[in-house]
Amino acid sequence: MTTSSRTGNTDTTAANPALLRTAAELDALPRPSGAERAVVMTMGALHEGHATLIRTAREAAGPDGQVVVTVFVNPLQFGEAADLDRYPRTLDADLETAAAAGADAVFAPGVDEVYPGGEPQVRITAGPMGERLEGASRPGHFDGMLTVVAKLLHLTRPDEAFYGQKDAQQLALITRMVRDLNFGVRITGVPTVRDPDGLALSSRNRFLSPQERHTALALPRALFAAQDRLAAQQALHERAKATAPGGDRAAGLNKLGEARAAADAQAVALARPNGAPAAVRATARAILEEAAARDRHPLVLDYLALVDPADFTEIPDDRESGDAILAVAARVGETRLIDNIPLTFGALT
């Protein structure tokens, strides 16, 4: 599975998108005849990651289809008023980014338009999955997210909606909501976009000082090191299996006589055909702990979790096959960052 794509420079030349401020204006937007409407939901402060989502939606909708981008900073998703006030608002620049990426319309309503009469009395509840990881760190966040996503899906009425895999738990919850509540829309995830140094693009990255950004690079380093460890461990077991077909894999590993096999005590002891989840966790944690021990601009780890993408429960150490997500959240200075990478155990067998 592709884990990331690098920042690109290719833009789609497009006319300025229509700026819509009210639900009535959005409702009056003509739907394409015989083609599809795609939507990309954002909270503004658009960057190349958002542009990639819009370009992906543009390609999916086709030249005769329609791409609508929503820009709305949802107060229900913020636990503290200070975080809500601090969130960047750059609508003029967002319109330029949306236009270059191929959007036909930008729906940028105010809070009173989305929540007339104040915060909604009835909300979507995220359920048990919404209480894990990000939900545990930010109580109520996913209820607020799903509530506004449900409302925006009703308002925009798309055939397909696109969300970034960087927010993997959010994507999983939206997918589950659409399935459980029979929304008539396809949900499509788009791989994480990263800067050349590996940091996942985020509107919050602008708050990092150069020194803090250097610390923050521990997040992608930890994830990709864990991915490499899994690949190496699975390749090692494949070689051991070939060396001792139908026999003792531990003996096969020893027969290889490699320093890597001798040093990898866990692989030799467990002799499993696939990489052990414990080794993946340990590899990532070692890098994060090193960043946390720095004297200046240390990384403060919130969580590191290897989870099942279906429900975000922890993967057991005896898992030998199947998909997983290695997710991390940490704070550097005043900025909280999240990242993740998809993994597949047993990919070589």
Side-chain angles (χ1 to χ4, degrees):
M1 177 180 286
T2 301
T3 57
S4 67
S5 58
R6 302 294 178 182
T7 299
N9 297 316
T10 301
D11 283 324
T12 301
T13 301
N16 291 334
L19 176 58
L20 312 174
R21 289 292 200 169
T22 68
E25 291 174 343
L26 179 61
D27 194 52
L29 181 68
R31 292 186 67 89
S33 177
E36 293 197 339
R37 174 183 285 179
V39 69
V40 174
M41 296 183 186
T42 81
M43 291 206 298
L46 302 189
H47 49 63
E48 178 60 24
H50 297 111
T52 298
L53 285 170
I54 299 168
R55 286 194 292 268
T56 303
R58 176 78 274 162
E59 182 178 357
D64 298 325
Q66 188 178 74
V67 176
V68 177
V69 175
T70 69
V71 174
F72 179 64
V73 182
N74 180 29
L76 301 187
Q77 293 176 228
F78 291 83
E80 299 180 8
D83 288 339
L84 175 62
D85 293 339
R86 187 173 182 238
Y87 197 87
R89 292 157 171 85
T90 57
L91 183 57
D92 289 342
D94 294 345
L95 290 171
E96 293 179 5
T97 299
D104 297 299
V106 172
F107 179 48
V111 174
D112 291 342
E113 182 68 22
V114 177
Y115 303 124
E119 293 188 359
Q121 295 289 312
V122 177
R123 307 187 186 192
I124 301 290
T125 300
M129 191 186 346
E131 298 173 357
R132 300 173 185 132
L133 301 189
E134 283 299 292
S137 298
R138 306 167 68 186
H141 167 74
F142 285 126
D143 291 356
M145 179 276 295
L146 289 179
T147 297
V148 79
V149 167
K151 187 152 191 173
L152 290 173
L153 286 175
H154 286 312
L155 288 170
T156 57
R157 293 176 290 118
D159 298 285
E160 189 169 10
F162 295 81
Y163 301 90
Q165 291 177 356
K166 174 180 171 289
D167 296 295
Q169 193 172 4
Q170 171 179 282
L171 174 59
L173 281 164
I174 293 172
T175 301
R176 187 62 186 250
M177 177 185 72
V178 165
R179 184 179 69 192
D180 286 355
L181 302 183
N182 297 101
F183 281 63
V185 60
R186 300 189 303 277
I187 302 299
T188 299
V190 178
T192 300
V193 181
R194 300 180 181 276
D195 271 327
D197 61 6
L199 193 65
L201 295 189
S202 169
S203 302
R204 299 179 185 273
N205 290 353
R206 68 186 67 196
F207 298 129
L208 296 169
S209 69
Q211 295 81 10
E212 289 171 341
R213 185 182 178 97
H214 179 72
T215 298
L217 292 177
L219 271 67
R221 279 206 311 273
L223 295 177
F224 286 110
Q227 182 186 53
D228 290 344
R229 174 65 182 271
L230 176 61
Q233 193 163 332
Q234 292 184 158
L236 174 63
H237 282 292
E238 286 296 306
R239 294 180 63 187
K241 186 168 65 175
T243 303
D248 187 341
R249 288 192 178 88
L253 289 170
N254 290 327
K255 187 176 179 180
L256 289 173
E258 296 179 354
R260 176 70 181 253
D264 196 343
Q266 185 163 24
V268 174
L270 296 178
R272 291 191 181 122
N274 308 299
V280 169
R281 292 186 181 97
T283 298
R285 188 170 293 278
I287 294 173
L288 296 171
E289 288 177 348
E290 180 183 356
R294 292 188 179 132
D295 292 333
R296 300 187 64 187
H297 310 291
L299 179 147
V300 180
L301 183 65
D302 187 348
Y303 62 76
L304 172 71
L306 183 66
V307 298
D308 188 322
D311 58 11
F312 275 68
T313 56
E314 283 280 349
I315 296 290
D317 283 345
D318 60 358
R319 172 68 63 87
E320 293 188 349
S321 63
D323 294 331
I325 292 175
L326 183 62
V328 62
R331 189 175 295 274
V332 181
E334 297 299 317
T335 305
R336 187 176 184 276
L337 302 171
I338 63 172
D339 202 351
N340 71 84
I341 191 169
L343 301 173
T344 301
F345 289 86
L348 297 180
T349 58

